[in-house]
Amino acid sequence: MATLLSFLADLSNHLGLAWWVEIKTLSPICTYFFGPFLIRKEAEAALFGYVEDLEAEQAQNIVAHIQRCHPPHLTICNEMEYSC
């Protein structure tokens, strides 16, 4: 079942329909993408854990968004602005 869900998430991502958690931090200046998720509720459920991990790594000024996109990279650092 996990393999099927993974396949569907990959297919959804390829079509640009997957949900992603986008998290931006100002210290360090980075944009992180977590996903893909088949449904928005899955991304919402995972969001807190991602923010918690970044806080544990001393990241500052954390802003998170959940959106449909196809990020070019999972981590983009030292750039002032980027989003899907």
Side-chain angles (χ1 to χ4, degrees):
M1 182 64 148
T3 305
L4 177 60
L5 291 177
S6 178
F7 171 77
L8 291 174
D10 288 342
L11 178 62
S12 178
N13 187 47
H14 179 72
L15 296 173
L17 301 174
W19 291 95
W20 286 81
V21 174
E22 176 190 50
I23 299 178
K24 293 183 179 187
T25 61
L26 289 181
S27 178
I29 299 173
C30 288
T31 301
Y32 305 92
F33 292 94
F34 301 95
F37 297 95
L38 282 175
I39 59 173
R40 183 180 176 93
K41 286 189 177 195
E42 287 178 315
E44 290 170 352
L47 175 63
F48 178 76
Y50 299 136
V51 170
E52 191 174 59
D53 288 347
L54 289 169
E55 288 174 339
E57 294 178 16
Q58 307 300 312
Q60 300 292 314
N61 298 323
I62 299 170
V63 177
H65 299 280
I66 297 173
Q67 59 191 341
R68 281 188 161 145
C69 67
H70 190 96
H73 304 284
L74 298 182
T75 303
I76 302 167
C77 289
N78 298 322
E79 293 190 18
M80 292 304 292
E81 189 67 31
Y82 179 85
S83 60
C84 284

Coordinates of all heavy atoms in Angstrom, one line a residue:
M1 N 0.8 -1.2 0.0 CA 0.0 0.0 0.0 C 0.9 1.3 0.0 O 0.6 2.2 -0.7 CB -0.9 0.0 1.2 CG -1.9 1.1 1.3 SD -3.0 1.2 -0.1 CE -4.4 1.9 0.6
A2 N 2.0 1.2 0.8 CA 2.8 2.4 0.8 C 3.5 2.7 -0.5 O 3.7 3.8 -0.9 CB 3.9 2.2 1.9
T3 N 3.8 1.6 -1.3 CA 4.4 1.8 -2.6 C 3.4 2.4 -3.5 O 3.7 3.3 -4.3 CB 4.8 0.4 -3.2 OG1 5.7 -0.2 -2.2 CG2 5.5 0.5 -4.5
L4 N 2.1 2.0 -3.5 CA 1.1 2.6 -4.3 C 0.9 4.1 -4.0 O 0.8 4.9 -4.9 CB -0.3 1.9 -4.1 CG -1.4 2.5 -4.9 CD1 -1.2 2.5 -6.4 CD2 -2.7 1.7 -4.6
L5 N 0.9 4.4 -2.7 CA 0.7 5.8 -2.3 C 1.9 6.7 -2.7 O 1.8 7.8 -3.2 CB 0.5 5.9 -0.8 CG -0.8 5.4 -0.2 CD1 -0.8 5.5 1.3 CD2 -1.9 6.2 -0.8
S6 N 3.1 6.1 -2.6 CA 4.3 6.8 -3.1 C 4.2 7.0 -4.6 O 4.6 8.1 -5.1 CB 5.5 5.9 -2.7 OG 6.7 6.6 -3.2
F7 N 3.8 6.0 -5.3 CA 3.6 6.1 -6.8 C 2.6 7.2 -7.1 O 2.9 8.1 -8.0 CB 3.2 4.8 -7.4 CG 2.8 4.9 -8.9 CD1 3.8 5.0 -9.8 CD2 1.5 5.0 -9.2 CE1 3.4 5.2 -11.2 CE2 1.1 5.1 -10.6 CZ 2.1 5.2 -11.5
L8 N 1.5 7.3 -6.4 CA 0.5 8.3 -6.7 C 1.0 9.7 -6.3 O 0.7 10.6 -7.1 CB -0.8 7.9 -5.9 CG -1.6 6.7 -6.4 CD1 -2.7 6.4 -5.5 CD2 -2.1 6.9 -7.8
A9 N 1.7 9.8 -5.3 CA 2.3 11.1 -4.9 C 3.3 11.5 -5.9 O 3.3 12.7 -6.3 CB 3.0 11.0 -3.5
D10 N 4.1 10.6 -6.4 CA 5.1 11.0 -7.5 C 4.4 11.4 -8.8 O 4.8 12.4 -9.4 CB 6.0 9.8 -7.8 CG 7.1 9.6 -6.7 OD1 7.3 10.6 -5.8 OD2 7.7 8.5 -6.6
L11 N 3.3 10.7 -9.1 CA 2.6 11.0 -10.3 C 1.9 12.4 -10.2 O 1.9 13.2 -11.1 CB 1.5 9.9 -10.6 CG 0.6 10.2 -11.8 CD1 1.4 10.3 -13.1 CD2 -0.5 9.1 -11.9
S12 N 1.3 12.6 -9.0 CA 0.6 13.9 -8.7 C 1.7 15.0 -8.8 O 1.4 16.1 -9.3 CB 0.0 13.8 -7.3 OG -0.6 15.0 -7.0
N13 N 2.8 14.8 -8.3 CA 3.9 15.8 -8.3 C 4.3 16.1 -9.8 O 4.5 17.2 -10.2 CB 5.1 15.3 -7.5 CG 6.1 16.4 -7.4 OD1 5.8 17.5 -7.1 ND2 7.4 16.0 -7.6
H14 N 4.5 15.0 -10.6 CA 4.9 15.2 -12.0 C 3.8 16.0 -12.7 O 4.2 16.8 -13.6 CB 5.0 13.8 -12.6 CG 5.4 13.9 -14.1 ND1 6.6 14.3 -14.5 CD2 4.7 13.6 -15.2 CE1 6.7 14.3 -15.8 NE2 5.5 13.9 -16.2
L15 N 2.6 15.9 -12.4 CA 1.5 16.6 -13.0 C 1.3 18.0 -12.4 O 0.5 18.8 -12.9 CB 0.2 15.9 -12.9 CG 0.2 14.5 -13.6 CD1 -1.1 13.8 -13.3 CD2 0.3 14.7 -15.1
G16 N 2.1 18.4 -11.4 CA 1.9 19.7 -10.7 C 0.8 19.8 -9.8 O 0.3 20.9 -9.4
L17 N 0.2 18.6 -9.4 CA -1.0 18.6 -8.5 C -0.7 18.3 -7.1 O -1.6 18.2 -6.2 CB -2.0 17.6 -9.1 CG -2.5 17.9 -10.5 CD1 -3.4 16.8 -11.0 CD2 -3.2 19.3 -10.5
A18 N 0.6 18.0 -6.8 CA 1.0 17.5 -5.4 C 1.0 18.8 -4.5 O 1.2 19.9 -4.9 CB 2.3 16.9 -5.4
W19 N 0.8 18.5 -3.2 CA 0.8 19.5 -2.2 C 2.2 19.5 -1.6 O 2.8 18.4 -1.3 CB -0.2 19.3 -1.1 CG -1.6 19.5 -1.6 CD1 -2.4 18.5 -2.1 CD2 -2.3 20.7 -1.7 NE1 -3.6 19.1 -2.5 CE2 -3.5 20.5 -2.2 CE3 -1.9 22.0 -1.3 CZ2 -4.5 21.5 -2.4 CZ3 -2.9 23.0 -1.5 CH2 -4.1 22.8 -2.1
W20 N 2.8 20.6 -1.3 CA 4.1 20.8 -0.7 C 4.0 21.8 0.4 O 3.3 22.7 0.4 CB 5.1 21.3 -1.7 CG 5.5 20.3 -2.8 CD1 4.8 19.9 -3.9 CD2 6.7 19.5 -2.7 NE1 5.5 19.0 -4.6 CE2 6.6 18.7 -3.9 CE3 7.8 19.4 -1.9 CZ2 7.6 17.8 -4.2 CZ3 8.8 18.5 -2.2 CH2 8.7 17.7 -3.3
V21 N 4.9 21.5 1.4 CA 5.1 22.5 2.5 C 6.3 23.3 2.2 O 7.4 22.7 1.9 CB 5.3 21.7 3.9 CG1 5.6 22.7 5.0 CG2 4.1 20.9 4.3
E22 N 6.1 24.6 2.1 CA 7.2 25.5 1.8 C 7.5 26.3 3.1 O 6.6 26.9 3.7 CB 6.8 26.5 0.7 CG 7.9 27.5 0.4 CD 7.5 28.6 -0.5 OE1 6.4 29.2 -0.2 OE2 8.2 28.9 -1.4
I23 N 8.7 26.2 3.5 CA 9.1 26.9 4.8 C 10.3 27.8 4.5 O 11.3 27.4 3.9 CB 9.5 25.9 5.9 CG1 8.3 25.0 6.2 CG2 10.0 26.7 7.1 CD1 8.6 24.0 7.3
K24 N 10.1 29.1 4.8 CA 11.2 30.1 4.6 C 11.7 30.5 6.0 O 10.9 30.6 6.9 CB 10.7 31.3 3.8 CG 10.3 31.0 2.4 CD 9.9 32.3 1.7 CE 9.5 32.0 0.3 NZ 9.2 33.2 -0.5
T25 N 13.0 30.7 6.0 CA 13.6 31.2 7.2 C 14.5 32.3 6.9 O 15.1 32.4 5.8 CB 14.5 30.1 7.9 OG1 15.5 29.7 7.1 CG2 13.6 28.9 8.3
L26 N 14.7 33.3 7.8 CA 15.6 34.4 7.6 C 16.9 34.2 8.2 O 17.9 34.9 7.8 CB 14.9 35.7 8.1 CG 13.7 36.2 7.3 CD1 13.2 37.5 7.9 CD2 14.1 36.4 5.8
S27 N 17.1 33.3 9.1 CA 18.4 33.0 9.6 C 18.4 31.5 9.9 O 17.8 31.0 10.9 CB 18.6 33.7 10.9 OG 19.9 33.4 11.5
P28 N 19.0 30.7 9.0 CA 19.7 31.1 7.7 C 18.7 31.5 6.7 O 17.5 31.2 6.8 CB 20.5 29.9 7.3 CG 19.6 28.8 7.8 CD 19.1 29.3 9.1
I29 N 19.1 32.2 5.7 CA 18.2 32.6 4.6 C 18.0 31.4 3.7 O 18.9 31.1 2.9 CB 18.7 33.8 3.8 CG1 18.9 35.0 4.7 CG2 17.8 34.1 2.6 CD1 19.6 36.2 4.0
C30 N 16.9 30.7 3.9 CA 16.7 29.4 3.1 C 15.2 29.3 2.9 O 14.4 29.7 3.6 CB 17.2 28.2 3.9 SG 19.0 28.1 4.0
T31 N 14.9 28.5 1.8 CA 13.6 28.0 1.5 C 13.7 26.5 1.5 O 14.6 26.0 0.8 CB 13.1 28.6 0.2 OG1 13.1 30.0 0.3 CG2 11.7 28.1 -0.1
Y32 N 12.8 25.9 2.2 CA 12.8 24.4 2.3 C 11.5 23.9 1.7 O 10.4 24.5 2.0 CB 12.9 23.9 3.7 CG 14.1 24.4 4.4 CD1 14.1 25.6 5.2 CD2 15.3 23.7 4.4 CE1 15.2 26.0 5.9 CE2 16.5 24.2 5.1 CZ 16.4 25.3 5.8 OH 17.5 25.8 6.5
F33 N 11.5 22.8 1.0 CA 10.3 22.2 0.5 C 10.2 20.8 1.0 O 11.2 20.0 1.0 CB 10.2 22.2 -1.0 CG 10.1 23.5 -1.6 CD1 11.2 24.3 -2.0 CD2 8.9 24.1 -1.8 CE1 11.1 25.5 -2.5 CE2 8.8 25.4 -2.3 CZ 9.9 26.1 -2.7
F34 N 9.0 20.4 1.5 CA 8.8 19.1 2.1 C 7.5 18.5 1.4 O 6.5 19.1 1.3 CB 8.5 19.1 3.6 CG 9.7 19.7 4.3 CD1 9.7 21.0 4.7 CD2 10.7 18.9 4.7 CE1 10.8 21.6 5.4 CE2 11.8 19.4 5.4 CZ 11.8 20.8 5.8
G35 N 7.7 17.3 0.8 CA 6.6 16.7 0.1 C 7.1 15.7 -0.9 O 8.3 15.2 -0.7
P36 N 6.4 15.2 -1.8 CA 5.0 15.7 -2.1 C 4.0 14.9 -1.3 O 4.2 13.8 -0.8 CB 4.9 15.3 -3.6 CG 5.8 14.1 -3.8 CD 6.9 14.3 -2.8
F37 N 2.8 15.6 -1.2 CA 1.7 15.0 -0.5 C 0.5 14.9 -1.4 O 0.3 15.8 -2.2 CB 1.3 15.8 0.7 CG 2.4 15.9 1.8 CD1 3.2 17.0 1.8 CD2 2.5 15.0 2.8 CE1 4.2 17.1 2.7 CE2 3.5 15.0 3.7 CZ 4.4 16.1 3.7
L38 N -0.3 13.8 -1.3 CA -1.4 13.7 -2.2 C -2.6 14.6 -1.8 O -3.2 15.1 -2.7 CB -2.0 12.2 -2.1 CG -1.2 11.2 -2.9 CD1 -1.8 9.8 -2.6 CD2 -1.2 11.5 -4.4
I39 N -2.8 14.8 -0.5 CA -3.8 15.7 -0.1 C -3.3 16.8 0.9 O -2.3 16.5 1.6 CB -5.0 15.0 0.5 CG1 -4.6 14.2 1.7 CG2 -5.7 14.1 -0.5 CD1 -5.7 13.5 2.5
R40 N -4.0 17.9 0.9 CA -3.5 19.0 1.7 C -3.5 18.7 3.2 O -2.6 19.1 3.9 CB -4.5 20.2 1.5 CG -4.1 21.5 2.3 CD -5.0 22.6 2.0 NE -4.6 23.7 2.8 CZ -3.8 24.7 2.4 NH1 -3.3 24.7 1.2 NH2 -3.5 25.7 3.2
K41 N -4.4 17.9 3.7 CA -4.5 17.5 5.1 C -3.2 16.7 5.5 O -2.8 16.9 6.6 CB -5.7 16.7 5.4 CG -7.0 17.5 5.4 CD -8.2 16.8 6.0 CE -9.3 17.7 6.0 NZ -10.4 17.2 6.9
E42 N -2.6 15.9 4.6 CA -1.4 15.2 4.9 C -0.3 16.3 5.1 O 0.5 16.1 6.1 CB -1.0 14.3 3.8 CG -1.8 13.1 3.7 CD -1.4 12.2 2.5 OE1 -1.1 12.8 1.4 OE2 -1.3 11.0 2.7
A43 N -0.2 17.3 4.3 CA 0.8 18.3 4.4 C 0.6 19.1 5.7 O 1.6 19.4 6.4 CB 0.8 19.2 3.2
E44 N -0.7 19.4 6.0 CA -1.0 20.1 7.3 C -0.5 19.3 8.5 O 0.0 19.9 9.4 CB -2.5 20.4 7.3 CG -2.9 21.5 6.3 CD -4.4 21.6 6.2 OE1 -5.2 20.8 6.8 OE2 -4.9 22.5 5.5
A45 N -0.8 18.0 8.4 CA -0.4 17.2 9.6 C 1.1 17.1 9.8 O 1.6 17.0 10.9 CB -1.0 15.8 9.4
A46 N 1.9 17.2 8.7 CA 3.3 17.1 8.8 C 4.0 18.4 9.1 O 5.1 18.5 9.6 CB 3.9 16.6 7.4
L47 N 3.3 19.5 8.9 CA 3.9 20.9 9.0 C 4.5 21.1 10.3 O 5.7 21.6 10.4 CB 2.8 21.9 8.7 CG 3.2 23.4 8.9 CD1 4.3 23.8 8.0 CD2 2.0 24.3 8.8
F48 N 3.9 20.8 11.4 CA 4.4 21.1 12.8 C 5.7 20.4 13.0 O 6.6 21.0 13.5 CB 3.4 20.7 13.8 CG 3.9 20.9 15.2 CD1 3.9 22.2 15.8 CD2 4.4 19.9 16.0 CE1 4.4 22.4 17.0 CE2 4.9 20.1 17.3 CZ 4.9 21.4 17.8
G49 N 5.9 19.2 12.5 CA 7.1 18.5 12.7 C 8.3 19.1 12.0 O 9.4 19.2 12.5
Y50 N 8.0 19.6 10.8 CA 9.1 20.3 10.0 C 9.5 21.6 10.7 O 10.7 21.9 10.8 CB 8.6 20.6 8.6 CG 8.3 19.4 7.8 CD1 7.1 19.3 7.0 CD2 9.1 18.2 7.8 CE1 6.8 18.2 6.3 CE2 8.7 17.1 7.1 CZ 7.6 17.1 6.3 OH 7.3 16.0 5.6
V51 N 8.5 22.4 11.2 CA 8.8 23.6 11.9 C 9.6 23.3 13.2 O 10.6 24.0 13.5 CB 7.6 24.4 12.1 CG1 7.8 25.6 13.0 CG2 6.9 24.9 10.8
E52 N 9.2 22.3 13.9 CA 9.8 21.9 15.1 C 11.3 21.5 14.9 O 12.2 21.9 15.6 CB 9.0 20.8 15.7 CG 9.4 20.4 17.2 CD 8.5 19.4 17.7 OE1 8.4 18.3 17.2 OE2 7.9 19.7 18.8
D53 N 11.5 20.8 13.8 CA 12.9 20.4 13.5 C 13.8 21.6 13.2 O 14.9 21.7 13.6 CB 12.9 19.5 12.3 CG 12.4 18.1 12.7 OD1 12.3 17.8 13.9 OD2 12.2 17.3 11.7
L54 N 13.2 22.6 12.4 CA 14.0 23.8 12.1 C 14.2 24.6 13.3 O 15.3 25.2 13.5 CB 13.3 24.6 11.0 CG 13.3 24.0 9.6 CD1 12.4 24.7 8.7 CD2 14.7 24.0 9.1
E55 N 13.3 24.7 14.2 CA 13.5 25.5 15.5 C 14.6 24.8 16.3 O 15.4 25.5 16.9 CB 12.2 25.5 16.3 CG 11.1 26.4 15.7 CD 9.8 26.4 16.4 OE1 9.5 25.4 17.1 OE2 9.0 27.4 16.2
A56 N 14.6 23.5 16.3 CA 15.6 22.8 17.1 C 17.0 23.0 16.5 O 18.0 23.0 17.2 CB 15.4 21.3 17.1
E57 N 17.1 23.4 15.2 CA 18.3 23.7 14.5 C 18.6 25.2 14.6 O 19.5 25.7 13.9 CB 18.3 23.3 13.1 CG 18.3 21.7 12.9 CD 18.2 21.3 11.5 OE1 18.4 22.1 10.6 OE2 17.8 20.1 11.3
Q58 N 17.9 25.9 15.5 CA 18.1 27.4 15.7 C 17.7 28.3 14.5 O 18.2 29.4 14.5 CB 19.5 27.6 16.1 CG 20.0 26.8 17.3 CD 19.2 27.0 18.6 OE1 18.9 28.1 19.0 NE2 18.8 25.9 19.2
A59 N 16.8 27.8 13.6 CA 16.4 28.7 12.5 C 15.5 29.8 13.1 O 14.8 29.6 14.1 CB 15.6 27.9 11.5
Q60 N 15.5 31.0 12.5 CA 14.8 32.1 13.0 C 13.8 32.6 12.0 O 14.1 32.5 10.8 CB 15.8 33.2 13.4 CG 16.8 32.9 14.4 CD 16.2 32.7 15.8 OE1 15.4 33.5 16.2 NE2 16.5 31.6 16.5
N61 N 12.8 33.3 12.4 CA 11.8 33.9 11.5 C 11.2 32.9 10.5 O 11.4 33.1 9.3 CB 12.3 35.1 10.8 CG 12.7 36.2 11.8 OD1 12.1 36.4 12.8 ND2 13.8 36.9 11.5
I62 N 10.6 31.9 11.0 CA 10.1 30.8 10.2 C 8.7 31.1 9.7 O 7.8 31.5 10.5 CB 10.1 29.5 11.0 CG1 11.5 29.1 11.4 CG2 9.4 28.4 10.2 CD1 11.6 28.0 12.4
V63 N 8.5 31.0 8.4 CA 7.2 31.3 7.8 C 6.9 30.0 6.9 O 7.7 29.7 6.1 CB 7.2 32.5 6.9 CG1 5.8 32.7 6.2 CG2 7.5 33.7 7.8
A64 N 5.7 29.4 7.1 CA 5.3 28.2 6.3 C 4.1 28.4 5.5 O 3.2 29.2 5.9 CB 5.1 27.1 7.3
H65 N 4.1 27.8 4.4 CA 2.9 27.8 3.5 C 2.7 26.4 2.9 O 3.7 25.7 2.7 CB 3.1 28.8 2.3 CG 3.3 30.2 2.7 ND1 2.3 31.0 3.0 CD2 4.5 30.9 2.8 CE1 2.8 32.2 3.3 NE2 4.1 32.2 3.2
I66 N 1.5 26.1 2.7 CA 1.2 24.8 2.0 C 0.6 25.2 0.7 O -0.4 26.0 0.6 CB 0.2 24.0 2.8 CG1 0.8 23.6 4.2 CG2 -0.2 22.7 2.1 CD1 -0.1 22.9 5.2
Q67 N 1.1 24.6 -0.4 CA 0.7 24.9 -1.7 C 0.9 23.8 -2.7 O 1.7 22.9 -2.4 CB 1.4 26.2 -2.2 CG 2.9 26.0 -2.2 CD 3.6 27.3 -2.5 OE1 3.1 28.3 -2.9 NE2 4.9 27.3 -2.1
R68 N 0.2 23.9 -3.8 CA 0.5 23.0 -4.9 C 1.6 23.6 -5.8 O 1.5 24.8 -6.2 CB -0.8 22.8 -5.8 CG -1.7 21.8 -5.2 CD -2.8 21.5 -6.1 NE -3.5 20.3 -5.7 CZ -4.8 20.1 -5.9 NH1 -5.5 21.0 -6.4 NH2 -5.3 19.0 -5.5
C69 N 2.6 22.8 -6.0 CA 3.7 23.3 -6.8 C 4.6 22.2 -7.2 O 4.3 21.0 -6.9 CB 4.5 24.4 -6.1 SG 5.4 23.9 -4.7
H70 N 5.7 22.5 -7.9 CA 6.7 21.5 -8.3 C 8.0 22.2 -8.1 O 8.6 22.8 -9.0 CB 6.5 21.1 -9.7 CG 7.3 19.9 -10.1 ND1 6.9 18.6 -10.1 CD2 8.6 19.9 -10.5 CE1 7.9 17.8 -10.5 NE2 8.9 18.5 -10.7
P71 N 8.6 22.1 -6.8 CA 9.8 22.9 -6.6 C 11.0 22.3 -7.4 O 11.1 21.1 -7.6 CB 10.0 22.6 -5.1 CG 9.3 21.4 -4.7 CD 8.1 21.4 -5.7
P72 N 11.9 23.2 -7.8 CA 13.1 22.8 -8.6 C 14.1 22.1 -7.7 O 14.9 21.3 -8.2 CB 13.6 24.1 -9.2 CG 13.1 25.1 -8.2 CD 11.8 24.7 -7.7
H73 N 14.2 22.5 -6.4 CA 15.1 21.9 -5.5 C 14.4 21.8 -4.1 O 13.4 22.6 -3.9 CB 16.3 22.8 -5.3 CG 17.0 23.1 -6.6 ND1 17.8 22.2 -7.2 CD2 17.0 24.2 -7.4 CE1 18.3 22.7 -8.3 NE2 17.8 23.9 -8.4
L74 N 14.8 20.9 -3.3 CA 14.2 20.8 -1.9 C 14.7 21.8 -0.9 O 14.0 22.2 0.0 CB 14.4 19.4 -1.4 CG 13.8 18.3 -2.3 CD1 14.0 16.9 -1.6 CD2 12.3 18.5 -2.5
T75 N 15.9 22.3 -1.1 CA 16.5 23.3 -0.3 C 17.2 24.4 -1.1 O 18.0 24.0 -2.0 CB 17.5 22.7 0.7 OG1 16.9 21.7 1.5 CG2 18.0 23.8 1.7
I76 N 16.8 25.6 -0.9 CA 17.4 26.7 -1.6 C 17.9 27.7 -0.5 O 17.1 28.3 0.2 CB 16.4 27.4 -2.5 CG1 15.9 26.4 -3.5 CG2 17.1 28.6 -3.2 CD1 14.6 26.9 -4.3
C77 N 19.2 27.9 -0.4 CA 19.8 28.8 0.6 C 20.5 30.0 0.0 O 20.9 30.0 -1.1 CB 20.8 28.0 1.5 SG 19.9 26.8 2.6
N78 N 20.6 31.0 0.9 CA 21.3 32.3 0.5 C 20.6 33.0 -0.6 O 21.3 33.7 -1.4 CB 22.8 32.0 0.2 CG 23.5 31.4 1.4 OD1 23.2 31.8 2.5 ND2 24.3 30.5 1.2
E79 N 19.3 32.8 -0.8 CA 18.6 33.6 -1.8 C 17.5 34.4 -1.0 O 16.9 33.9 -0.1 CB 17.9 32.7 -2.8 CG 18.9 32.0 -3.7 CD 18.3 31.3 -4.8 OE1 17.1 31.6 -5.2 OE2 18.9 30.4 -5.4
M80 N 17.3 35.6 -1.4 CA 16.4 36.5 -0.7 C 14.9 36.1 -0.8 O 14.2 36.2 0.1 CB 16.6 37.9 -1.1 CG 17.9 38.5 -0.7 SD 18.2 38.4 1.1 CE 17.0 39.5 1.7
E81 N 14.6 35.6 -2.0 CA 13.1 35.3 -2.2 C 13.0 34.2 -3.2 O 13.6 34.3 -4.3 CB 12.4 36.6 -2.7 CG 10.9 36.5 -2.8 CD 10.3 36.4 -1.4 OE1 10.9 36.9 -0.4 OE2 9.3 35.7 -1.3
Y82 N 12.2 33.2 -2.9 CA 11.8 32.2 -3.9 C 10.5 31.6 -3.4 O 10.3 31.4 -2.2 CB 12.9 31.1 -4.0 CG 12.5 30.1 -5.0 CD1 12.7 30.3 -6.3 CD2 11.7 29.0 -4.6 CE1 12.3 29.3 -7.3 CE2 11.3 28.1 -5.5 CZ 11.6 28.2 -6.8 OH 11.1 27.3 -7.7
S83 N 9.7 31.2 -4.3 CA 8.5 30.4 -4.0 C 8.1 29.7 -5.3 O 8.6 30.1 -6.4 CB 7.4 31.2 -3.5 OG 7.0 32.2 -4.4
C84 N 7.3 28.7 -5.2 CA 6.8 27.9 -6.4 C 6.0 28.8 -7.3 O 5.3 29.6 -6.9 CB 6.0 26.8 -6.0 SG 6.9 25.4 -5.3

